[in-house]
Coordinates of all heavy atoms in Angstrom, one line a residue:
M1 N 16.1 -11.6 -24.2 CA 15.3 -12.8 -24.4 C 13.9 -12.6 -23.7 O 13.9 -12.3 -22.5 CB 16.0 -14.1 -24.0 CG 15.1 -15.3 -24.1 SD 15.8 -16.7 -23.3 CE 16.3 -17.6 -24.8
S2 N 12.9 -12.8 -24.4 CA 11.6 -12.6 -23.9 C 11.1 -13.8 -23.1 O 11.4 -14.9 -23.4 CB 10.6 -12.4 -25.0 OG 9.3 -12.4 -24.6
N3 N 10.4 -13.5 -22.0 CA 9.9 -14.6 -21.1 C 8.4 -14.5 -21.2 O 7.8 -14.0 -20.2 CB 10.4 -14.5 -19.7 CG 10.0 -15.7 -18.8 OD1 10.0 -16.8 -19.3 ND2 9.6 -15.4 -17.6
R4 N 7.8 -15.0 -22.2 CA 6.4 -15.0 -22.4 C 5.8 -16.2 -21.6 O 6.0 -17.3 -22.0 CB 6.0 -15.0 -23.8 CG 6.4 -13.8 -24.5 CD 5.7 -13.6 -25.8 NE 6.1 -12.3 -26.4 CZ 5.2 -11.4 -26.6 NH1 3.9 -11.5 -26.3 NH2 5.6 -10.2 -27.2
L5 N 5.0 -15.8 -20.6 CA 4.3 -16.9 -19.8 C 2.9 -16.9 -20.3 O 2.3 -15.9 -20.6 CB 4.4 -16.5 -18.3 CG 5.8 -16.4 -17.7 CD1 5.6 -16.0 -16.2 CD2 6.5 -17.7 -17.8
T6 N 2.3 -18.1 -20.3 CA 0.9 -18.3 -20.5 C 0.2 -17.8 -19.3 O 0.8 -17.6 -18.2 CB 0.5 -19.7 -20.8 OG1 0.7 -20.5 -19.6 CG2 1.3 -20.3 -21.9
A7 N -1.1 -17.6 -19.4 CA -1.9 -17.1 -18.2 C -1.7 -18.1 -17.0 O -1.6 -17.7 -15.9 CB -3.3 -16.9 -18.6
A8 N -1.8 -19.4 -17.4 CA -1.6 -20.5 -16.3 C -0.2 -20.4 -15.7 O -0.1 -20.6 -14.5 CB -1.9 -21.8 -16.9
E9 N 0.8 -20.2 -16.5 CA 2.1 -20.1 -16.0 C 2.3 -18.9 -15.1 O 3.0 -19.0 -14.0 CB 3.2 -20.1 -17.1 CG 3.2 -21.5 -17.8 CD 3.9 -21.4 -19.2 OE1 4.3 -20.3 -19.7 OE2 4.1 -22.5 -19.8
L10 N 1.8 -17.8 -15.5 CA 1.9 -16.6 -14.7 C 1.1 -16.8 -13.4 O 1.6 -16.4 -12.3 CB 1.3 -15.4 -15.4 CG 1.5 -14.0 -14.7 CD1 3.0 -13.8 -14.3 CD2 1.0 -12.9 -15.6
E11 N 0.0 -17.4 -13.4 CA -0.8 -17.7 -12.2 C 0.0 -18.6 -11.3 O 0.1 -18.4 -10.1 CB -2.1 -18.4 -12.6 CG -3.0 -18.6 -11.4 CD -4.4 -19.2 -11.9 OE1 -4.9 -18.8 -12.9 OE2 -4.9 -20.0 -11.1
M12 N 0.7 -19.6 -11.8 CA 1.5 -20.5 -11.0 C 2.7 -19.7 -10.5 O 3.1 -19.9 -9.3 CB 2.0 -21.7 -11.9 CG 2.7 -22.7 -11.1 SD 1.8 -23.5 -9.7 CE 0.4 -24.3 -10.6
A13 N 3.3 -18.9 -11.3 CA 4.5 -18.1 -10.8 C 4.0 -17.2 -9.7 O 4.8 -17.1 -8.7 CB 5.0 -17.3 -12.0
N14 N 2.9 -16.6 -9.7 CA 2.4 -15.8 -8.6 C 2.2 -16.6 -7.4 O 2.5 -16.2 -6.3 CB 1.1 -15.1 -9.0 CG 1.3 -13.8 -9.8 OD1 2.1 -13.0 -9.4 ND2 0.7 -13.7 -11.0
L15 N 1.7 -17.8 -7.6 CA 1.5 -18.8 -6.4 C 2.9 -19.1 -5.8 O 3.0 -19.0 -4.5 CB 0.8 -20.1 -6.9 CG 0.7 -21.1 -5.8 CD1 -0.5 -20.7 -4.9 CD2 0.5 -22.5 -6.3
L16 N 3.9 -19.3 -6.6 CA 5.2 -19.6 -6.0 C 5.8 -18.4 -5.3 O 6.3 -18.6 -4.1 CB 6.2 -19.9 -7.2 CG 6.0 -21.2 -8.0 CD1 7.0 -21.4 -9.0 CD2 5.9 -22.4 -7.1
V17 N 5.6 -17.2 -5.8 CA 6.1 -16.0 -5.2 C 5.4 -15.8 -3.8 O 6.0 -15.5 -2.8 CB 6.0 -14.8 -6.1 CG1 6.2 -13.5 -5.3 CG2 6.9 -14.9 -7.3
E18 N 4.1 -16.0 -3.8 CA 3.3 -15.8 -2.6 C 3.6 -16.9 -1.6 O 3.8 -16.6 -0.4 CB 1.8 -15.9 -3.0 CG 0.9 -15.7 -1.9 CD -0.6 -15.9 -2.4 OE1 -0.9 -15.2 -3.4 OE2 -1.3 -16.7 -1.8
A19 N 3.6 -18.2 -2.0 CA 3.8 -19.3 -1.1 C 5.1 -19.3 -0.5 O 5.3 -19.7 0.7 CB 3.5 -20.6 -1.8
L20 N 6.1 -18.9 -1.2 CA 7.5 -19.0 -0.8 C 8.1 -17.6 -0.3 O 9.3 -17.6 0.1 CB 8.4 -19.6 -1.9 CG 8.0 -20.9 -2.4 CD1 8.9 -21.4 -3.5 CD2 8.0 -22.0 -1.3
N21 N 7.2 -16.6 -0.3 CA 7.7 -15.3 0.1 C 8.9 -14.9 -0.7 O 9.9 -14.4 -0.1 CB 7.9 -15.2 1.6 CG 6.6 -15.4 2.3 OD1 5.6 -14.9 2.0 ND2 6.7 -16.3 3.4
L22 N 8.9 -15.0 -2.0 CA 10.1 -14.7 -2.8 C 10.0 -13.2 -3.1 O 9.4 -12.7 -4.0 CB 10.0 -15.4 -4.2 CG 10.1 -17.0 -4.1 CD1 9.9 -17.6 -5.5 CD2 11.4 -17.4 -3.4
E23 N 10.8 -12.5 -2.3 CA 10.8 -11.0 -2.4 C 11.8 -10.5 -3.5 O 11.6 -9.3 -3.9 CB 11.1 -10.4 -1.0 CG 10.1 -10.8 0.0 CD 10.5 -10.3 1.4 OE1 11.6 -9.7 1.6 OE2 9.7 -10.5 2.3
D24 N 12.7 -11.3 -3.9 CA 13.7 -10.9 -4.8 C 13.4 -11.0 -6.3 O 14.2 -10.6 -7.1 CB 15.0 -11.6 -4.5 CG 15.6 -11.4 -3.1 OD1 15.1 -10.4 -2.5 OD2 16.4 -12.2 -2.7
I25 N 12.2 -11.6 -6.6 CA 11.9 -11.9 -7.9 C 10.4 -11.6 -8.2 O 9.6 -12.0 -7.4 CB 12.3 -13.3 -8.4 CG1 12.1 -13.5 -9.9 CG2 11.6 -14.4 -7.6 CD1 12.8 -14.8 -10.4
A26 N 10.1 -11.0 -9.3 CA 8.7 -10.8 -9.7 C 8.2 -12.1 -10.4 O 9.0 -12.8 -11.1 CB 8.6 -9.6 -10.6
A27 N 7.0 -12.4 -10.3 CA 6.4 -13.6 -10.9 C 6.7 -13.7 -12.4 O 7.1 -14.7 -12.9 CB 4.9 -13.7 -10.6
A28 N 6.5 -12.6 -13.0 CA 6.7 -12.5 -14.5 C 8.2 -12.7 -14.9 O 8.5 -13.0 -16.1 CB 6.2 -11.2 -15.0
E29 N 9.1 -12.7 -14.0 CA 10.5 -12.9 -14.3 C 11.0 -14.3 -14.1 O 12.1 -14.7 -14.5 CB 11.4 -12.0 -13.3 CG 11.2 -10.6 -13.5 CD 12.0 -9.7 -12.5 OE1 12.6 -10.3 -11.6 OE2 12.0 -8.5 -12.6
I30 N 10.1 -15.2 -13.6 CA 10.4 -16.6 -13.5 C 10.3 -17.2 -14.9 O 9.3 -17.2 -15.5 CB 9.5 -17.3 -12.5 CG1 9.6 -16.7 -11.1 CG2 9.8 -18.8 -12.4 CD1 8.6 -17.3 -10.1
P31 N 11.4 -17.8 -15.3 CA 11.4 -18.4 -16.7 C 10.5 -19.6 -16.7 O 10.6 -20.5 -15.9 CB 12.8 -18.7 -17.0 CG 13.6 -18.5 -15.8 CD 12.7 -17.9 -14.7
A32 N 9.7 -19.7 -17.8 CA 8.8 -20.9 -17.9 C 9.5 -22.2 -18.0 O 9.1 -23.2 -17.4 CB 8.0 -20.7 -19.2
E33 N 10.7 -22.3 -18.6 CA 11.4 -23.5 -18.8 C 12.6 -23.6 -17.9 O 13.4 -24.6 -17.9 CB 11.8 -23.7 -20.2 CG 10.7 -24.1 -21.1 CD 10.1 -25.5 -20.8 OE1 10.9 -26.4 -20.4 OE2 8.9 -25.7 -21.1
G34 N 12.9 -22.6 -17.0 CA 14.0 -22.7 -16.1 C 13.8 -23.7 -15.0 O 12.7 -23.9 -14.6
Y35 N 14.9 -24.3 -14.6 CA 14.7 -25.3 -13.5 C 14.3 -24.6 -12.2 O 14.8 -23.5 -11.9 CB 16.1 -26.0 -13.2 CG 16.5 -26.9 -14.4 CD1 17.5 -26.6 -15.2 CD2 15.7 -28.1 -14.6 CE1 17.9 -27.4 -16.3 CE2 16.1 -28.9 -15.7 CZ 17.1 -28.6 -16.5 OH 17.5 -29.4 -17.5
L36 N 13.4 -25.2 -11.4 CA 13.0 -24.7 -10.2 C 14.0 -25.0 -9.1 O 14.2 -24.2 -8.2 CB 11.6 -25.2 -9.8 CG 10.4 -24.8 -10.7 CD1 9.2 -25.5 -10.2 CD2 10.3 -23.3 -10.7
F37 N 14.6 -26.2 -9.2 CA 15.5 -26.6 -8.1 C 16.9 -26.7 -8.6 O 17.2 -26.8 -9.8 CB 15.1 -28.0 -7.6 CG 13.7 -28.0 -7.0 CD1 12.6 -28.1 -7.8 CD2 13.6 -27.7 -5.6 CE1 11.3 -28.0 -7.2 CE2 12.3 -27.6 -5.1 CZ 11.2 -27.8 -5.8
G38 N 17.9 -26.6 -7.7 CA 19.3 -26.7 -8.0 C 20.0 -25.4 -7.6 O 19.3 -24.4 -7.1
H39 N 21.2 -25.4 -7.7 CA 22.0 -24.2 -7.2 C 22.9 -23.6 -8.3 O 23.9 -23.0 -8.0 CB 22.8 -24.6 -6.0 CG 21.9 -25.0 -4.8 ND1 21.1 -24.1 -4.1 CD2 21.6 -26.2 -4.3 CE1 20.4 -24.7 -3.2 NE2 20.7 -26.0 -3.3
D40 N 22.5 -23.7 -9.5 CA 23.3 -23.1 -10.6 C 22.6 -21.8 -11.0 O 21.4 -21.5 -10.6 CB 23.6 -24.0 -11.7 CG 22.3 -24.5 -12.4 OD1 21.2 -23.9 -12.2 OD2 22.4 -25.5 -13.1
E41 N 23.2 -21.0 -11.9 CA 22.6 -19.8 -12.3 C 21.4 -19.9 -13.1 O 20.6 -18.9 -13.3 CB 23.7 -18.9 -13.0 CG 24.1 -19.6 -14.3 CD 25.3 -18.8 -14.9 OE1 26.2 -18.5 -14.2 OE2 25.3 -18.7 -16.1
D42 N 21.1 -21.1 -13.6 CA 19.9 -21.3 -14.5 C 18.7 -21.8 -13.7 O 17.8 -22.2 -14.3 CB 20.3 -22.3 -15.6 CG 21.3 -21.7 -16.6 OD1 21.3 -20.5 -16.8 OD2 22.1 -22.5 -17.1
S43 N 18.8 -21.9 -12.4 CA 17.7 -22.4 -11.6 C 17.2 -21.3 -10.6 O 17.9 -20.4 -10.3 CB 18.1 -23.7 -10.8 OG 18.8 -23.3 -9.7
L44 N 16.0 -21.6 -10.1 CA 15.4 -20.7 -9.1 C 16.0 -21.0 -7.8 O 15.9 -20.1 -6.9 CB 13.9 -20.9 -9.1 CG 13.0 -19.8 -8.5 CD1 13.3 -18.4 -9.2 CD2 11.6 -20.1 -8.7
G45 N 16.7 -22.1 -7.6 CA 17.4 -22.4 -6.4 C 16.5 -22.9 -5.2 O 16.8 -22.7 -4.1
L46 N 15.3 -23.5 -5.6 CA 14.4 -24.0 -4.5 C 15.0 -25.3 -3.9 O 15.8 -26.0 -4.5 CB 13.0 -24.2 -5.1 CG 12.4 -23.0 -5.7 CD1 11.0 -23.3 -6.2 CD2 12.4 -21.8 -4.8
D47 N 14.5 -25.7 -2.7 CA 14.9 -26.9 -2.1 C 13.7 -27.8 -1.8 O 12.5 -27.4 -2.1 CB 15.7 -26.7 -0.9 CG 15.0 -25.9 0.2 OD1 13.8 -25.9 0.3 OD2 15.7 -25.2 1.0
S48 N 13.9 -28.9 -1.1 CA 12.8 -29.8 -0.8 C 11.7 -29.2 0.1 O 10.5 -29.6 0.0 CB 13.4 -31.1 -0.2 OG 14.1 -30.8 1.0
I49 N 12.1 -28.4 1.0 CA 11.1 -27.7 1.9 C 10.2 -26.8 1.0 O 9.0 -26.8 1.2 CB 11.8 -26.9 3.0 CG1 12.7 -27.8 3.9 CG2 10.8 -26.1 3.8 CD1 11.9 -28.9 4.6
D50 N 10.8 -26.1 0.1 CA 10.0 -25.3 -0.8 C 9.0 -26.2 -1.6 O 7.9 -25.8 -1.8 CB 10.9 -24.6 -1.8 CG 11.8 -23.6 -1.1 OD1 11.4 -22.9 -0.2 OD2 13.0 -23.4 -1.6
A51 N 9.5 -27.4 -2.0 CA 8.6 -28.3 -2.8 C 7.3 -28.6 -1.9 O 6.2 -28.6 -2.4 CB 9.3 -29.5 -3.2
L52 N 7.6 -28.9 -0.7 CA 6.4 -29.2 0.2 C 5.5 -28.0 0.4 O 4.3 -28.2 0.4 CB 6.9 -29.6 1.6 CG 7.7 -30.9 1.7 CD1 8.3 -31.1 3.1 CD2 6.8 -32.1 1.3
E53 N 6.0 -26.8 0.5 CA 5.2 -25.6 0.6 C 4.4 -25.4 -0.7 O 3.3 -25.0 -0.7 CB 6.1 -24.4 1.0 CG 6.6 -24.5 2.4 CD 7.4 -23.3 2.8 OE1 7.2 -22.2 2.3 OE2 8.3 -23.4 3.6
I54 N 5.1 -25.6 -1.8 CA 4.4 -25.4 -3.1 C 3.3 -26.4 -3.2 O 2.2 -26.1 -3.6 CB 5.4 -25.6 -4.3 CG1 6.4 -24.5 -4.3 CG2 4.7 -25.7 -5.6 CD1 7.6 -24.7 -5.2
A55 N 3.5 -27.7 -2.9 CA 2.5 -28.7 -3.0 C 1.3 -28.4 -2.1 O 0.2 -28.6 -2.5 CB 3.1 -30.1 -2.6
Q56 N 1.6 -27.9 -0.9 CA 0.5 -27.5 0.0 C -0.3 -26.3 -0.6 O -1.5 -26.3 -0.6 CB 1.1 -27.1 1.4 CG 0.0 -26.7 2.4 CD 0.6 -26.4 3.7 OE1 1.7 -26.0 3.9 NE2 -0.3 -26.5 4.7
A57 N 0.4 -25.3 -1.1 CA -0.3 -24.2 -1.7 C -1.2 -24.6 -2.9 O -2.3 -24.2 -3.1 CB 0.7 -23.1 -2.2
I58 N -0.6 -25.6 -3.7 CA -1.4 -26.1 -4.9 C -2.6 -26.8 -4.4 O -3.7 -26.7 -5.0 CB -0.5 -27.0 -5.8 CG1 0.5 -26.0 -6.5 CG2 -1.3 -27.8 -6.7 CD1 1.6 -26.8 -7.3
A59 N -2.5 -27.6 -3.4 CA -3.6 -28.4 -2.9 C -4.7 -27.5 -2.4 O -5.9 -27.7 -2.6 CB -3.1 -29.3 -1.7
Q60 N -4.3 -26.4 -1.7 CA -5.3 -25.5 -1.2 C -6.0 -24.7 -2.3 O -7.2 -24.5 -2.3 CB -4.6 -24.5 -0.2 CG -4.2 -25.1 1.1 CD -3.4 -24.2 2.0 OE1 -3.0 -23.1 1.6 NE2 -3.3 -24.6 3.3
R61 N -5.2 -24.2 -3.3 CA -5.8 -23.4 -4.3 C -6.5 -24.1 -5.4 O -7.5 -23.7 -5.9 CB -4.7 -22.5 -4.9 CG -5.3 -21.5 -5.9 CD -4.4 -20.4 -6.3 NE -4.1 -19.5 -5.2 CZ -3.2 -18.6 -5.2 NH1 -2.5 -18.4 -6.3 NH2 -2.9 -17.9 -4.2
Y62 N -5.9 -25.3 -5.8 CA -6.4 -26.0 -7.0 C -7.0 -27.4 -6.7 O -7.4 -28.0 -7.6 CB -5.3 -26.2 -8.0 CG -4.6 -24.9 -8.4 CD1 -3.4 -24.5 -8.0 CD2 -5.3 -24.0 -9.3 CE1 -2.8 -23.3 -8.5 CE2 -4.8 -22.8 -9.7 CZ -3.5 -22.5 -9.3 OH -2.9 -21.3 -9.7
Q63 N -7.0 -27.8 -5.4 CA -7.4 -29.1 -5.1 C -6.7 -30.2 -5.8 O -7.3 -31.2 -6.2 CB -9.0 -29.3 -5.2 CG -9.8 -28.4 -4.3 CD -9.8 -27.0 -4.6 OE1 -10.0 -26.6 -5.7 NE2 -9.4 -26.1 -3.6
V64 N -5.4 -30.0 -6.1 CA -4.6 -31.0 -6.8 C -3.6 -31.5 -5.7 O -2.8 -30.7 -5.2 CB -3.9 -30.4 -8.0 CG1 -2.9 -31.4 -8.6 CG2 -4.9 -30.0 -9.1
Q65 N -3.5 -32.8 -5.5 CA -2.6 -33.3 -4.5 C -1.3 -33.8 -5.2 O -1.4 -34.5 -6.2 CB -3.2 -34.5 -3.8 CG -4.5 -34.2 -3.0 CD -4.3 -33.2 -1.9 OE1 -3.3 -33.3 -1.2 NE2 -5.2 -32.3 -1.7
I66 N -0.2 -33.3 -4.7 CA 1.1 -33.8 -5.2 C 1.8 -34.5 -4.0 O 2.1 -33.8 -3.0 CB 2.0 -32.7 -5.7 CG1 1.3 -32.0 -6.9 CG2 3.3 -33.3 -6.2 CD1 2.0 -30.7 -7.4
R67 N 1.8 -35.8 -4.0 CA 2.4 -36.5 -2.8 C 3.9 -36.5 -2.8 O 4.5 -36.5 -3.9 CB 1.9 -38.0 -2.9 CG 0.4 -38.1 -2.7 CD -0.1 -39.5 -2.9 NE 0.8 -40.5 -2.4 CZ 0.5 -41.4 -1.4 NH1 -0.7 -41.5 -1.0 NH2 1.5 -42.2 -1.0
A68 N 4.5 -36.5 -1.6 CA 5.9 -36.5 -1.5 C 6.6 -37.7 -2.1 O 7.7 -37.6 -2.6 CB 6.3 -36.3 0.0
D69 N 5.9 -38.8 -2.1 CA 6.4 -40.1 -2.6 C 6.1 -40.3 -4.1 O 6.3 -41.5 -4.6 CB 6.1 -41.2 -1.7 CG 4.5 -41.5 -1.7 OD1 3.8 -40.6 -2.2 OD2 4.1 -42.5 -1.1
D70 N 5.5 -39.4 -4.8 CA 5.2 -39.6 -6.2 C 6.4 -39.7 -7.0 O 7.3 -38.8 -7.0 CB 4.3 -38.4 -6.7 CG 3.7 -38.6 -8.1 OD1 4.4 -39.2 -8.9 OD2 2.6 -38.1 -8.3
E71 N 6.5 -40.8 -7.8 CA 7.7 -41.0 -8.6 C 7.9 -40.0 -9.7 O 9.0 -39.9 -10.3 CB 7.7 -42.5 -9.1 CG 6.6 -42.7 -10.1 CD 6.5 -44.2 -10.5 OE1 6.9 -45.1 -9.8 OE2 6.0 -44.4 -11.6
N72 N 6.9 -39.3 -10.0 CA 6.9 -38.3 -11.1 C 7.3 -36.9 -10.6 O 7.3 -35.9 -11.4 CB 5.6 -38.2 -11.8 CG 5.2 -39.5 -12.4 OD1 6.0 -40.1 -13.1 ND2 4.0 -40.0 -12.2
N73 N 7.6 -36.7 -9.3 CA 7.8 -35.4 -8.8 C 9.0 -34.7 -9.5 O 8.9 -33.4 -9.7 CB 8.1 -35.4 -7.3 CG 6.8 -35.5 -6.5 OD1 5.7 -35.3 -7.0 ND2 7.0 -35.9 -5.2
K74 N 10.0 -35.4 -9.9 CA 11.1 -34.7 -10.5 C 10.7 -34.1 -11.8 O 11.0 -32.9 -12.1 CB 12.3 -35.7 -10.8 CG 13.5 -35.1 -11.3 CD 14.7 -36.0 -11.3 CE 16.0 -35.3 -11.7 NZ 17.1 -36.2 -11.7
A75 N 9.8 -34.7 -12.6 CA 9.3 -34.2 -13.8 C 8.3 -33.1 -13.5 O 8.2 -32.1 -14.2 CB 8.7 -35.3 -14.7
I76 N 7.4 -33.3 -12.5 CA 6.4 -32.3 -12.2 C 7.0 -31.0 -11.8 O 6.6 -29.9 -12.2 CB 5.5 -32.8 -11.1 CG1 4.7 -34.0 -11.5 CG2 4.5 -31.7 -10.5 CD1 4.0 -34.8 -10.4
F77 N 8.0 -31.0 -11.0 CA 8.7 -29.8 -10.4 C 9.9 -29.4 -11.2 O 10.6 -28.5 -10.8 CB 9.1 -30.1 -9.0 CG 8.0 -30.1 -8.0 CD1 7.4 -31.3 -7.5 CD2 7.5 -28.9 -7.5 CE1 6.4 -31.3 -6.6 CE2 6.4 -28.9 -6.6 CZ 5.9 -30.1 -6.1
R78 N 10.0 -29.9 -12.4 CA 11.2 -29.5 -13.2 C 11.2 -28.0 -13.5 O 12.3 -27.4 -13.4 CB 11.2 -30.3 -14.5 CG 12.5 -30.1 -15.3 CD 12.5 -30.7 -16.7 NE 11.7 -30.1 -17.7 CZ 12.0 -28.9 -18.2 NH1 13.1 -28.2 -17.8 NH2 11.2 -28.3 -19.1
S79 N 10.1 -27.5 -13.9 CA 10.0 -26.1 -14.3 C 8.7 -25.5 -14.0 O 7.7 -26.2 -13.7 CB 10.3 -25.9 -15.8 OG 9.3 -26.5 -16.6
L80 N 8.6 -24.2 -14.1 CA 7.3 -23.6 -13.9 C 6.3 -24.1 -14.9 O 5.1 -24.4 -14.6 CB 7.5 -22.0 -14.2 CG 6.2 -21.2 -14.1 CD1 5.6 -21.3 -12.6 CD2 6.5 -19.8 -14.4
R81 N 6.7 -24.3 -16.2 CA 5.8 -24.8 -17.2 C 5.3 -26.3 -16.9 O 4.1 -26.5 -16.9 CB 6.5 -24.8 -18.5 CG 5.6 -25.4 -19.7 CD 6.1 -25.0 -21.0 NE 5.9 -23.5 -21.2 CZ 6.6 -22.7 -21.9 NH1 7.7 -23.2 -22.6 NH2 6.3 -21.4 -22.0
S82 N 6.2 -27.1 -16.4 CA 5.8 -28.5 -16.1 C 4.9 -28.5 -14.9 O 3.9 -29.3 -14.9 CB 7.0 -29.4 -15.9 OG 7.8 -29.0 -14.8
L83 N 5.1 -27.7 -14.0 CA 4.2 -27.6 -12.8 C 2.8 -27.1 -13.2 O 1.8 -27.7 -12.8 CB 4.9 -26.7 -11.7 CG 4.2 -26.7 -10.4 CD1 4.2 -28.1 -9.7 CD2 5.0 -25.7 -9.5
A84 N 2.8 -26.1 -14.0 CA 1.5 -25.5 -14.4 C 0.7 -26.5 -15.3 O -0.5 -26.7 -15.1 CB 1.7 -24.2 -15.2
E85 N 1.5 -27.2 -16.1 CA 0.8 -28.2 -17.0 C 0.2 -29.4 -16.1 O -0.9 -29.9 -16.4 CB 1.8 -28.8 -18.0 CG 2.1 -27.8 -19.1 CD 3.2 -28.2 -20.1 OE1 3.9 -29.3 -19.8 OE2 3.4 -27.5 -21.1
H86 N 1.0 -29.8 -15.1 CA 0.5 -30.9 -14.2 C -0.8 -30.5 -13.5 O -1.7 -31.2 -13.4 CB 1.6 -31.3 -13.2 CG 1.1 -32.3 -12.2 ND1 1.1 -33.6 -12.5 CD2 0.7 -32.2 -11.0 CE1 0.6 -34.3 -11.5 NE2 0.4 -33.4 -10.5
V87 N -0.8 -29.3 -13.0 CA -1.9 -28.8 -12.2 C -3.1 -28.7 -13.2 O -4.2 -29.1 -12.8 CB -1.6 -27.5 -11.5 CG1 -2.9 -26.8 -11.0 CG2 -0.6 -27.7 -10.4
A88 N -2.9 -28.1 -14.4 CA -4.0 -28.0 -15.3 C -4.6 -29.3 -15.7 O -5.8 -29.5 -15.9 CB -3.5 -27.3 -16.6
A89 N -3.7 -30.3 -15.8 CA -4.2 -31.7 -16.2 C -4.9 -32.4 -15.1 O -5.7 -33.3 -15.4 CB -3.0 -32.5 -16.7
H90 N -4.7 -32.0 -13.9 CA -5.3 -32.7 -12.7 C -6.3 -31.9 -11.9 O -6.8 -32.5 -10.9 CB -4.1 -33.2 -11.8 CG -3.3 -34.3 -12.5 ND1 -2.2 -33.9 -13.3 CD2 -3.4 -35.6 -12.5 CE1 -1.7 -35.1 -13.7 NE2 -2.4 -36.1 -13.3
R91 N -6.6 -30.7 -12.3 CA -7.6 -29.9 -11.6 C -9.0 -30.5 -11.7 O -9.3 -31.0 -12.8 CB -7.6 -28.5 -12.2 CG -6.6 -27.6 -11.7 CD -6.7 -26.3 -12.3 NE -7.6 -25.4 -11.6 CZ -7.7 -24.1 -11.7 NH1 -6.9 -23.5 -12.6 NH2 -8.5 -23.4 -11.0
P92 N -9.8 -30.5 -10.7 CA -11.1 -31.0 -10.8 C -11.9 -30.0 -11.7 O -11.6 -28.8 -11.8 CB -11.7 -30.9 -9.4 CG -10.6 -30.4 -8.5 CD -9.4 -30.1 -9.3
V93 N -12.8 -30.6 -12.5 CA -13.5 -29.7 -13.4 C -14.6 -28.9 -12.8 O -15.2 -29.2 -11.9 CB -14.2 -30.6 -14.5 CG1 -14.5 -29.8 -15.8 CG2 -13.2 -31.8 -14.9

């Protein structure tokens, strides 16, 4: 199965690999629609500390704030695609 990432998704995947020091996976191998959190074989297996680190890296690179108490966080952090789409929609022009 092909994992075709858009340029924005690949950029976000690279940010995840860099911010979280993911040495076991290449950015291009992160599935666009795979779950970022959870502990089953279909997820990247991230946890809440990882979410904070991702949010900080996004704020630094894209000037997009993702607050810990945002009620939309579950949807924002669902997948690489949802995270990339959120950042693209909220980046300053």
Side-chain angles (χ1 to χ4, degrees):
M1 176 188 255
S2 170
N3 183 42
R4 294 197 175 243
L5 299 177
T6 66
E9 290 165 355
L10 185 56
E11 186 176 321
M12 185 61 63
N14 279 308
L15 178 79
L16 295 181
V17 168
E18 179 184 311
L20 302 176
N21 297 315
L22 300 176
E23 298 173 358
D24 298 343
I25 188 166
E29 295 175 356
I30 298 175
E33 286 293 330
Y35 292 110
L36 295 178
F37 297 88
H39 296 289
D40 60 17
E41 63 188 44
D42 294 329
S43 80
L44 201 53
L46 303 181
D47 61 25
S48 59
I49 300 299
D50 295 324
L52 293 172
E53 290 183 29
I54 293 166
Q56 182 178 22
I58 287 172
Q60 289 175 346
R61 185 166 297 171
Y62 302 109
Q63 291 74 51
V64 173
Q65 300 297 320
I66 303 174
R67 295 174 38 123
D69 61 352
D70 189 324
E71 64 185 27
N72 297 312
N73 279 347
K74 189 171 185 176
I76 293 167
F77 284 99
R78 188 186 75 69
S79 67
L80 178 64
R81 179 161 291 150
S82 62
L83 189 57
E85 287 173 351
H86 176 81
V87 169
H90 293 87
R91 281 178 86 165
V93 198

